[in-house]
């Protein structure tokens, strides 16, 4: 069942194996954001037009018309595109309403996304007074207008509780020792995702439901590792210990722990131990060299021969 639960996650997943819950914005909140953006845009457009008309009073009508068209393209059309590009999808209206434009995979939009949305907004919002955009948002499952569909974008809500990765605390020494000997290489990422999601939401679930989920996840984890769950250990504690052990192994791989701690994993410093690096010219005894001849300066094996002066 844990594998089935993990497979239903279709959204983006963070590095901590937490699924991003992108909640599409509703039509009312999007409409409020659009009204704020339009009010600000047209206010700036009117101020710019007044300045242009005053500065071009000495020109003929054709020149004034050309300048007016250029200002219209730059302010009401180009302005929102520039704002969404520079702010990564968060205009003034969207900031006030807690919205943001993102890509379908949850990433920030780029200039091409803002350009397509802005070009389609001229038809959807300006020329049709928002009728086309409203109908498209009502028909779309995620409330997207035509410009969002063509741009591959989505307007989502930002002011929602963010799902965070659970903080994994150190477990009891004896339980940590049990998890230290497990082979976790065969555990799939989908199962790790299910375990981390359970650990993050266990306190929010009913006690009986949480116990059942923990038991099923622990059984599947035991099957993957080939080692049964220790007798008398609660399934939730076992999952937390294994998840903590996996995180510590990842940290050791990334070099987050001191070298002496990482080398302590090799029991007895036997064949698997890596000898300490020495500088050029330092001697290595036969015990350290694996029984070979004694190495001397320059890395040459000692033969007892002394060259003449």
């Amino acid at each position: 069942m844990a594998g089935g639960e993990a497979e239903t996650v279709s959204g983006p997943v963070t590095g901590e194996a937490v699924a991003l819950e992108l909640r599409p914005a509703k039509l009312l909140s999007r409409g409020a954001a659009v009204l704020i953006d339009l009010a600000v845009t047209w206010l700036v457009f009117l101020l710019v037009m007044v300045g242009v008309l005053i500065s071009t009073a000495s020109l003929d009508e054709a020149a004034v018309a050309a300048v007016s068209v250029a200002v219209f393209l730059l302010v009401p059309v180009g302005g929102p595109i520039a704002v969404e590009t520079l702010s990564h999808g968060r205009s003034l209206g969207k900031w006030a309403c807690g919205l943001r434009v993102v890509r379908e995979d949850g990433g920030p939009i780029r200039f091409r996304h803002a350009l397509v949305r802005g070009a389609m907004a001229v038809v959807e919002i300006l020329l049709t007074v928002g009728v086309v955009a409203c109908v498209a948002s009502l028909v779309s499952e995620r409330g997207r207008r035509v410009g969002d569909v063509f741009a591959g974008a989505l307007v989502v809500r930002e002011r929602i509780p963010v799902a965070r990765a659970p903080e994994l605390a150190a477990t009891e020494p004896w339980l940590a020792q049990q998890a230290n000997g497990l082979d976790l290489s065969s555990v799939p990422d989908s199962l790790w995702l299910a375990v981390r999601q359970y650990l993050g939401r266990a306190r929010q679930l009913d006690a009986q439901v949480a116990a059942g989920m923990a038991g099923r996840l622990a059984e599947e984890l035991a099957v993957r590792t080939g080692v049964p769950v220790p007798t008398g250990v609660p399934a939730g504690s076992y999952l937390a210990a294994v998840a903590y052990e996996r995180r510590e192994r990842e940290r050791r791989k990334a070099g987050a722990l001191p070298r002496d701690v990482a080398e302590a994993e090799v029991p007895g410093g036997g064949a698997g131990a890596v000898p300490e690096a020495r500088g050029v010219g330092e001697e290595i005894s036969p015990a350290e060299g694996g029984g070979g001849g004694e190495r001397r300066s320059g890395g040459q094996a000692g033969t007892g021969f002394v060259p003449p002066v």
Side-chain angles (χ1 to χ4, degrees):
M1 179 177 178
E5 292 178 353
E7 292 175 356
T8 59
V9 178
S10 59
V13 178
T14 64
E16 290 291 337
V18 177
L20 295 177
E21 297 181 359
L22 298 180
R23 299 188 180 182
K26 302 297 183 180
L27 179 60
L28 293 179
S29 58
R30 293 194 61 176
V34 170
L35 291 178
I36 296 175
D37 290 337
L38 287 178
V40 175
T41 302
W42 285 108
L43 179 61
V44 174
F45 175 69
L46 292 177
L47 294 177
V48 173
M49 281 300 301
V50 171
V52 168
L53 292 177
I54 294 175
S55 61
T56 59
S58 59
L59 300 179
D60 57 358
E61 295 182 359
V64 173
V67 173
S68 301
V69 173
V71 172
F72 176 80
L73 293 176
L74 290 177
V75 178
V77 179
I81 296 176
V83 170
E84 284 194 355
T85 302
L86 297 177
S87 64
H88 299 291
R90 201 176 191 189
S91 61
L92 181 61
K94 292 180 177 61
W95 173 81
C97 297
L99 309 179
R100 183 187 289 273
V101 183
V102 297
R103 301 196 306 263
E104 288 182 321
D105 59 355
I109 63 172
R110 302 182 183 275
F111 172 73
R112 58 185 181 88
H113 304 95
L115 179 62
V116 174
R117 295 185 75 255
M120 294 301 302
V122 176
V123 179
E124 289 187 88
I125 300 176
L126 298 181
L127 298 183
T128 61
V129 199
V131 174
V132 175
C134 291
V135 173
S137 298
L138 292 174
V139 173
S140 175
E141 181 180 358
R142 294 187 289 179
R144 298 199 297 173
R145 59 181 178 89
V146 180
D148 297 331
V149 177
F150 286 168
L154 177 67
V155 180
V156 298
R157 298 168 54 193
E158 279 195 323
R159 295 174 185 171
I160 55 177
V162 179
R164 297 184 180 272
E167 294 293 337
L168 300 178
T171 57
E172 297 294 334
W174 65 272
L175 187 56
Q177 185 177 4
Q178 294 286 337
N180 187 26
L182 296 179
D183 181 13
L184 306 180
S185 59
S186 60
V187 181
D189 293 338
S190 58
L191 182 54
W192 287 125
L193 173 60
V195 171
R196 295 193 67 89
Q197 286 182 337
Y198 164 77
L199 294 177
R201 302 171 182 174
R203 296 182 179 180
Q204 304 174 1
L205 300 175
D206 180 73
Q208 186 175 0
V209 175
M213 292 180 60
R216 288 188 291 270
L217 290 173
E219 290 178 2
E220 185 169 354
L221 194 59
V223 172
R224 297 287 184 175
T225 59
V227 179
V229 180
T231 306
V233 177
S237 301
Y238 173 75
L239 294 176
V242 176
Y244 180 81
E245 173 63 23
R246 179 177 183 266
R247 190 188 68 175
E248 293 303 311
R249 292 184 185 182
E250 294 295 333
R251 286 186 176 183
R252 287 194 290 268
K253 288 181 181 179
L257 294 181
R259 179 178 176 179
D260 54 351
V261 177
E263 291 178 351
E265 289 185 350
V266 182
V274 179
E276 182 180 359
R278 298 179 181 268
V280 177
E282 295 188 18
E283 296 183 354
I284 301 179
S285 63
E288 293 177 344
E294 182 178 1
R295 298 183 181 179
R296 297 188 183 274
S297 175
Q300 298 176 355
T303 58
F305 172 76
V306 180
V309 179

